[in-house]
């Protein structure tokens, strides 16, 4: 009887901790990532990242500056040669000038990309289409696209 009660308590305790465990894969240090929106235009990408910062750290970021926050967001997004345009306690915008391969004829290829954490919601936008991903750490398939007609070089 005593063992049954202990097992029931352990089961209830593990059930209560499940949401915390699930969010751990979307967490890096004091940042929990919620969504990433990647907008591709020619070879450039504008990456908008929505996240939350632990409440105890928010005050430190406000007083000491957001350089560490910018660095961590940049690291987790894992783009080569990205620079953080803006970052606050909820959102950052990164610009990646050479995110896609330029074939020189108005066509581009955004290759497979890996983040350092699992992102709950990812939106990948090109001038022609939008793809959505859920709970992914890797965008497995690359995507080909064309520049908008008014931007194509002739």
């Amino acid at each position: 009887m005593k063992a049954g009660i202990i097992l029931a308590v352990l089961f209830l305790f593990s059930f209560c901790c499940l949401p915390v465990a699930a969010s751990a894969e979307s967490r890096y240090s004091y940042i929990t990532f919620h969504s990433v929106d990647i907008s591709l235009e020619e070879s450039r990408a504008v990456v908008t990242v929505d996240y939350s910062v632990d409440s105890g750290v928010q005050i430190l970021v406000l007083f000491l500056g957001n350089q560490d926050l910018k660095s961590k967001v940049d690291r987790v997004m894992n783009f080569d040669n990205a620079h953080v345009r803006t970052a606050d306690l909820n959102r950052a915008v990164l610009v990646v000038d050479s995110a896609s391969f330029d074939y020189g004829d108005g066509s581009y290829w955004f290759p497979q990309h890996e983040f350092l954490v699992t992102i709950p919601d990812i939106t990948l936008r090109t001038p022609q289409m939008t793809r959505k991903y859920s709970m992914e750490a890797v965008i497995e398939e690359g995507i080909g696209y064309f520049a908008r007609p008014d931007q194509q070089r002739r």
Side-chain angles (χ1 to χ4, degrees), residues 40 100-101 108-113 124 126 129 131 133 138-145:
L40 301 170
S100 299
F101 299 112
Y108 299 87
W109 177 256
F110 179 77
Q112 172 180 314
H113 184 75
L124 182 60
T126 72
M129 65 184 302
R131 284 191 185 166
Y133 305 88
V138 178
I139 299 174
E140 291 284 344
E141 301 172 4
I143 186 170
Y145 60 98

Side-chain angles (χ1 to χ4, degrees), residues 37-121:
D37 185 301
I38 303 170
S39 294
L40 301 170
E41 193 167 294
E42 295 189 352
S43 63
R44 183 180 195 190
V46 177
V47 182
T48 304
V49 186
D50 289 310
Y51 52 81
S52 56
V53 174
D54 291 350
S55 58
V57 178
Q58 288 179 2
I59 294 171
L60 291 174
V61 171
L62 290 173
F63 284 123
L64 300 177
N66 65 356
Q67 191 56 44
D68 184 61
L69 176 63
K70 286 180 179 180
S71 175
K72 284 179 175 16
V73 170
D74 184 31
R75 186 175 312 128
V76 168
M77 290 300 101
N78 197 29
F79 284 100
D80 291 334
N81 302 316
H83 63 275
V84 179
R85 182 187 293 165
T86 62
D88 59 28
L89 295 176
N90 300 310
R91 176 177 285 172
V93 176
L94 291 79
V95 176
V96 187
D97 288 324
S98 297
S100 299
F101 299 112
D102 181 353
Y103 290 116
D105 59 355
S107 64
Y108 299 87
W109 177 256
F110 179 77
Q112 172 180 314
H113 184 75
E114 184 171 355
F115 302 99
L116 297 186
V117 299
T118 298
I119 307 295
D121 293 306

Side-chain angles (χ1 to χ4, degrees), residues 4-60:
I5 293 173
I6 291 173
L7 285 174
V9 169
L10 287 174
F11 177 75
L12 287 173
F13 179 72
S14 66
F15 184 73
C16 292
C17 293
L18 189 61
V20 173
S23 68
E25 61 189 14
S26 299
R27 186 175 175 80
Y28 183 83
S29 186
Y30 55 82
I31 307 168
T32 302
F33 291 86
H34 303 295
S35 67
V36 173
D37 185 301
I38 303 170
S39 294
L40 301 170
E41 193 167 294
E42 295 189 352
S43 63
R44 183 180 195 190
V46 177
V47 182
T48 304
V49 186
D50 289 310
Y51 52 81
S52 56
V53 174
D54 291 350
S55 58
V57 178
Q58 288 179 2
I59 294 171
L60 291 174

